[in-house]
């Protein structure tokens, strides 16, 4: 259990790990709680769009997070007949930047970044209640 005065972040997902890292980088004392016995990715690939990529750059793990990422030229949505219903140019000047990566690699990179920033990570930690701190 984290000591008094430590800020608690509940969950070890992408957003939770990023928030914990950002707080720790700003000299906050942070403990991240994950209910499972390890922080693990759920799902396969993930699209990392402009703001997500900028967040990774700001937090520091951008280079590690995009290792092996696919950088395509366009995205398409198709209907049940295979007909293209939407086509978006990406990763060219004036167009959105998008990288596709495996969630497992992204989560691992974010957890490593959180650890380097000084975040205490506690697994097998079931949060049963929370109260607003008295100031």
């Amino acid at each position: 259990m984290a000591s008094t005065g430590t800020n608690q972040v509940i969950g070890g997902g992408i957003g939770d790990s990023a928030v914990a890292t950002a707080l720790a980088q700003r000299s906050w004392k942070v403990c991240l709680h994950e209910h499972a016995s390890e922080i693990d990715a759920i799902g396969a690939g993930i699209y990392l769009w402009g703001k997500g990529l900028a967040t990774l750059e700001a937090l520091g793990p951008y280079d590690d997070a995009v290792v092996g990422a696919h950088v395509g030229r366009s995205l398409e949505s198709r209907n049940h007949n295979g007909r293209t219903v939407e086509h978006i140019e990406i990763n060219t000047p004036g167009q959105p930047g998008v990288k596709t990566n495996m969630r497992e690699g992204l989560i691992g990179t974010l957890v490593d970044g959180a650890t380097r920033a000084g975040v205490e990570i506690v697994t097998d930690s079931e949060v049963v209640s929370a109260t607003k701190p008295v100031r």
Side-chain angles (χ1 to χ4, degrees):
M1 179 62 155
S3 62
T4 304
T6 300
N7 298 281
Q8 310 300 312
V9 175
I10 301 168
I14 293 168
D16 312 309
S17 298
V19 165
T21 301
L23 292 172
Q25 287 177 344
R26 287 155 182 80
S27 302
W28 291 44
K29 192 172 179 183
V30 181
C31 180
L32 183 141
H33 297 270
E34 171 57 39
H35 182 264
S37 59
E38 63 183 42
I39 296 178
D40 199 3
I42 296 175
I46 185 169
Y47 288 107
L48 301 171
W49 288 79
K51 288 184 181 182
L53 294 169
T55 299
L56 289 170
E57 273 191 279
L59 293 175
Y62 176 88
D63 291 335
D64 292 335
V66 298
V67 168
H70 173 73
V71 181
R73 295 187 203 192
S74 65
L75 295 173
E76 289 186 350
S77 297
R78 297 174 183 258
N79 68 13
H80 66 282
N81 294 322
R83 182 175 155 259
T84 301
V85 294
E86 184 176 36
H87 179 91
I88 303 169
E89 295 295 321
I90 57 173
N91 298 315
T92 57
Q95 300 301 323
V98 182
K99 296 183 187 304
T100 308
N101 208 347
M102 299 302 291
R103 286 178 190 265
E104 183 177 348
L106 178 60
I107 289 284
T109 299
L110 287 168
V111 169
D112 289 346
T115 302
R116 281 193 305 275
V119 174
E120 176 186 358
I121 297 176
V122 180
T123 56
D124 290 318
S125 179
E126 182 176 357
V127 177
V128 294
S129 69
T131 58
K132 182 177 178 179
V134 178
R135 301 266 182 220

